Structures are given as C-alpha cells and as structure tokens.
Amino acid sequence: MKKITLYLMTTIALLSCMPTPSMAETENNTAPTEKAEKVTSAEAQIMISRLEEIKAMDKSNMSSSEKKTLRKEVRSTKKNLA
C-alpha cells in the first residue's frame, strides 16, 4: 500500500510540473504586428538583388550565428516587400 501511495504522489508531482504546449503558442503570438510601409520600385529592386546575393552565398563555411543573422535579414526583407 505504501508503494502505491509513493507512486501516485510521484506521478502527480511529475504531471503538475509539465509545461503545456498552449502556453508556448501564446508567447509567440505576442509579437507586435506593425504594417510595413510600401517600398518604391527602386528600393524593391535593391532588396530583391540582396535576396539573390544571399541565396547565391556559400553558407557551408558560416557559423550558426551568421546564418541566423542572414535568416533574420531575409525574413525582414520579404516582409517589407509584401
């Protein structure tokens, strides 16, 4: 009987400490939703050429932080173009 009580208390303690996936989703949705201004065609051409440069880069020798910076740049550029 003591073992069952011990197992039950351990199970309840472990289950109460588990993070819920729904909490993780709400944290990501708190990002500000700012509308980017429309860019002119000259600025758009510059941004498109930069995206093509990034696409043509050899990323195999880059560190993970450099790749992360490039991904952020690509996302922001695509957001501005949309």
Side-chain angles (χ1 to χ4, degrees):
M1 187 69 173
K2 288 184 180 180
K3 285 187 179 183
I4 292 175
T5 307
L6 178 66
Y7 293 146
L8 184 61
M9 289 174 53
T10 306
T11 304
I12 291 171
L14 289 174
L15 289 176
S16 66
C17 295
M18 291 181 61
T20 57
S22 61
M23 293 298 292
E25 291 179 21
T26 57
E27 291 175 8
N28 291 338
N29 293 336
T30 60
T33 54
E34 298 176 8
K35 296 253 179 177
E37 295 180 15
K38 295 287 182 180
V39 293
T40 61
S41 62
E43 293 173 345
Q45 289 299 326
I46 293 170
M47 289 182 188
I48 290 171
S49 65
R50 176 64 182 151
L51 288 175
E52 290 172 358
E53 286 176 18
I54 292 172
K55 189 185 242 185
M57 283 183 183
D58 181 22
K59 300 175 195 88
S60 61
N61 295 330
M62 291 184 167
S63 68
S64 62
S65 62
E66 292 173 330
K67 290 179 186 179
K68 186 176 183 179
T69 305
L70 280 177
R71 282 194 300 270
K72 285 183 180 180
E73 182 181 347
V74 168
R75 283 187 206 125
S76 65
T77 305
K78 285 184 178 182
K79 184 178 178 182
N80 290 336
L81 286 174

